Structure formats: C-alpha cells, structure tokens
C-alpha cells in the first residue's frame, strides 16, 4: 500500500470482500505472480476473479501502482 494511506490494500481487501487473513495473503501473493507473468510472458494472460479483485484494489493506490510497481519495478506501464 501507499505510505500515508488510511488503510493498507490487504486491510481493504479483507474488509470489502470478507476475506480471511490467510486467503488475503495468498491472493496478494498470486497477484504478484500474475503481474510478473503479465510483464514477462509476451502473451495475453487473464486474471482469475480473485486476482482481478486484488488488481482493481491496487489500482486505487495510484502511486503504489503506477510509480512503485510499474515505473520502478517493471520499468513501464501495465494497463488493466
């Protein structure tokens, strides 16, 4: 999540989706794997419903998504 955000991405995912802590962490881990696959595979990949929920939540944390992930880690934009 973003520094200074009222709630973390994980907290909001748990609250808004009714996810338990363990499920939420597994979903975030799978989301990270999906983003890596999307950034490196060269083919079109489609997220599961759960991964898409994490992705949509991450997009709401704009600096975390566009700067920290896309610009700093991946080196370019990943559009949903």
């Amino acid at each position: 999540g973003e520094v200074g955000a009222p709630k973390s991405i994980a907290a909001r995912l748990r609250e808004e989706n009714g996810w338990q802590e363990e499920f939420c962490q597994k979903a975030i881990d799978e989301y990270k794997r999906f983003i890596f696959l999307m950034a490196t595979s060269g083919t079109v990949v489609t997220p599961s419903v759960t991964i898409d929920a994490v992705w949509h939540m991450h997009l709401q944390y704009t600096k975390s998504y566009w700067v920290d992930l896309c610009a700093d880690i991946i080196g370019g934009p990943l559009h949903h």
Side-chain angles (χ1 to χ4, degrees), residues 6-24:
K7 290 186 181 180
S8 69
I9 292 170
R12 286 191 58 202
L13 285 167
R14 287 191 306 272
E15 184 179 291
E16 294 178 21
N17 295 290
W19 294 351
Q20 296 297 316
E21 176 67 33
E22 185 177 348
F23 181 84
C24 185

Side-chain angles (χ1 to χ4, degrees), residues 5-68:
K7 290 186 181 180
S8 69
I9 292 170
R12 286 191 58 202
L13 285 167
R14 287 191 306 272
E15 184 179 291
E16 294 178 21
N17 295 290
W19 294 351
Q20 296 297 316
E21 176 67 33
E22 185 177 348
F23 181 84
C24 185
Q25 191 54 56
K26 287 180 181 182
I28 291 170
D29 290 344
E30 287 300 316
Y31 166 70
K32 291 175 183 178
R33 289 182 186 97
F34 171 79
I35 290 295
F36 175 80
L37 179 65
M38 186 177 166
T40 61
S41 71
T43 62
V44 175
V45 294
T46 303
S48 67
V49 171
T50 300
I51 300 310
D52 197 48
V54 178
W55 194 0
H56 277 264
M57 184 64 69
H58 194 191
L59 283 164
Q60 293 181 41
Y61 290 72
T62 56
K63 181 189 175 294
S64 175
Y65 187 81
W66 292 107
V67 176
D68 299 340

